[in-house]
Amino acid sequence: MPDAHRKLFERELNTVPAAREVRDLAAEAKAANGEASEALRMTLAARLAHVAFLAPDRVGEIYDALAEGWIGEPVEAAPIPTLDEAPLSASAGLWDTYWGIVEDGVVGKLDALSVTQRTADLGGEHSPEFVERVVRMSFTYEGVEEVSKWPLPRRLDLEELGACPENSVGRLFYHVIVDNSFDLEVLDRDAIGLAKLPSPLDYLNTRMLQAHDLWHLVGGYETTSLHEVAISAFQMSQFGHNYSAQFLAVTATIAAQGPGFGYPILMDTITSAWVHGRHTPPMITIDWESVWTGTLEEVRAQFGITAYERPYPANLVEMAQAAA
């Protein structure tokens, strides 16, 4: 069966998705009420992989259509422009690596750190043409033109955060890092060569790595498995974060091969967080270092941010694993 899944995926991968078709596929999967076929789920996964790896400028269009089909109403936000260009090609090596991640996910071999690292490693398979398209795609998102002119952010200082007042964003962020034994910047920016990326990808990816857990906090996302999926959709809607698009494609491909009853949970999470991000002003433009001492409520009010309205308990996956 795994070979059949991959053949179906690769056949559908090269279909250029139409927004209307993705909307209709999502509506069909939603109407199945937890009984959507593996073929339908795999087709949707292939559409998400197509825009993540072959047509990154169409992520906004396709996820808006996905959300409309699943939720049943259009996303109330200005459309994200596309570049209106033909899909790129990708090497067979990329798909071998991709499918290796998927297969390990299906059998439960992936933890949060390993899936992050292995998905990030897919970047080494991208062609210069793909990177150039992602650069141009980035400028179609609000706020990216502004931050493209900024210097790379300085490294965050844990002691500086810990010295912030109680109940401030800086101190709350400090506790997220320390209490969970997280790395302050998730991955080593030098080891993965972020400074070598062309503008604005150098700034966007450096800032997102160091602000990932901060966005969890301010956006109302917890540091759980389900909310890692949610925050990825949120990040992607904010500035077209290509890593998040690739992570969600991997996640959807794994879910296509799992129990059908769990699929609505995944799709409810992705689409609700996508819409949340589409309704939130661009957080990538926030100078976080200047607001460390403000309370969470003050910072949210200052920048027009509302907390994520979660459709399920944040720790649903962990509860299910404990019960099993």
Side-chain angles (χ1 to χ4, degrees):
M1 185 61 74
D3 287 343
H5 286 148
R6 181 168 180 175
K7 288 178 181 178
L8 172 61
F9 174 85
E10 292 184 345
R11 183 172 69 247
E12 293 294 339
L13 177 69
N14 292 312
T15 298
V16 177
R20 177 177 296 180
E21 180 224 18
V22 171
R23 181 197 65 194
D24 292 346
L25 288 171
E28 180 183 352
K30 176 65 176 289
N33 196 28
E35 297 182 0
S37 68
E38 289 185 359
L40 174 56
R41 287 181 275 149
M42 191 61 77
T43 298
L44 271 170
R47 300 294 183 268
L48 301 187
H50 180 99
V51 297
F53 294 94
L54 306 181
D57 56 297
R58 297 193 64 206
V59 160
E61 174 192 11
I62 294 305
Y63 273 84
D64 271 355
L66 180 78
E68 179 179 356
W70 188 265
I71 296 171
E73 59 185 29
V75 176
E76 294 183 0
I80 299 168
T82 71
L83 300 178
D84 195 25
E85 297 177 9
L88 298 161
S89 59
S91 68
L94 184 148
W95 297 117
D96 288 340
T97 304
Y98 178 93
W99 209 256
I101 301 171
V102 168
E103 289 175 343
D104 283 349
V106 169
V107 298
K109 290 184 178 179
L110 297 179
D111 58 25
L113 183 58
S114 64
V115 72
T116 298
Q117 183 63 66
R118 291 178 65 182
T119 303
D121 288 346
L122 288 170
E125 302 281 354
H126 293 318
S127 67
E129 292 78 14
F130 178 87
V131 175
E132 191 269 339
R133 174 110 32 123
V134 173
V135 167
R136 289 187 291 122
M137 171 274 292
S138 299
F139 286 109
T140 65
Y141 286 78
E142 184 182 0
V144 172
E145 179 74 37
E146 178 182 351
V147 303
S148 71
K149 300 177 175 65
W150 296 359
L152 292 184
R154 65 178 175 84
R155 294 181 185 274
L156 299 180
D157 187 317
L158 198 60
E159 290 187 5
E160 178 184 348
L161 295 173
C164 291
E166 285 292 340
N167 298 319
S168 66
V169 164
R171 179 67 76 84
L172 292 173
F173 184 33
Y174 170 86
H175 283 297
V176 168
I177 300 302
V178 172
D179 295 352
N180 293 286
S181 299
F182 288 165
D183 188 296
L184 189 55
E185 299 208 0
V186 185
L187 299 174
D188 187 327
R189 63 169 75 177
D190 294 329
I192 59 178
L194 294 185
K196 298 176 182 178
L197 292 173
S199 176
L201 303 186
D202 53 354
Y203 183 91
L204 293 173
N205 286 281
T206 300
R207 191 55 151 174
M208 197 63 260
L209 272 181
Q210 66 177 192
H212 174 78
D213 292 309
L214 178 62
W215 281 31
H216 268 279
L217 171 67
V218 178
Y221 296 87
E222 296 189 32
T223 54
T224 64
S225 296
L226 192 62
H227 277 205
E228 285 301 334
V229 172
I231 195 74
S232 295
F234 180 86
Q235 291 171 172
M236 189 172 58
S237 70
Q238 284 271 296
F239 62 95
H241 192 221
N242 188 244
Y243 163 82
S244 291
Q246 295 180 9
F247 170 76
L248 290 177
V250 168
T251 302
T253 308
I254 294 170
Q257 301 169 71
F261 64 80
Y263 193 70
I265 297 172
L266 174 68
M267 296 303 292
D268 284 341
T269 299
I270 290 174
T271 55
S272 62
W274 169 263
V275 172
H276 180 221
R278 295 281 277 125
H279 291 168
T280 301
M283 288 170 55
I284 197 68
T285 62
I286 297 175
D287 177 18
W288 294 104
E289 290 83 352
S290 70
V291 298
W292 287 146
T293 58
T295 67
L296 185 57
E297 294 74 18
E298 289 169 344
V299 171
R300 284 175 175 167
Q302 179 179 351
F303 296 105
I305 301 166
T306 60
Y308 175 53
E309 295 183 9
R310 57 197 68 181
Y312 302 99
N315 64 339
L316 185 63
V317 173
E318 287 77 11
M319 289 192 297
Q321 290 172 339

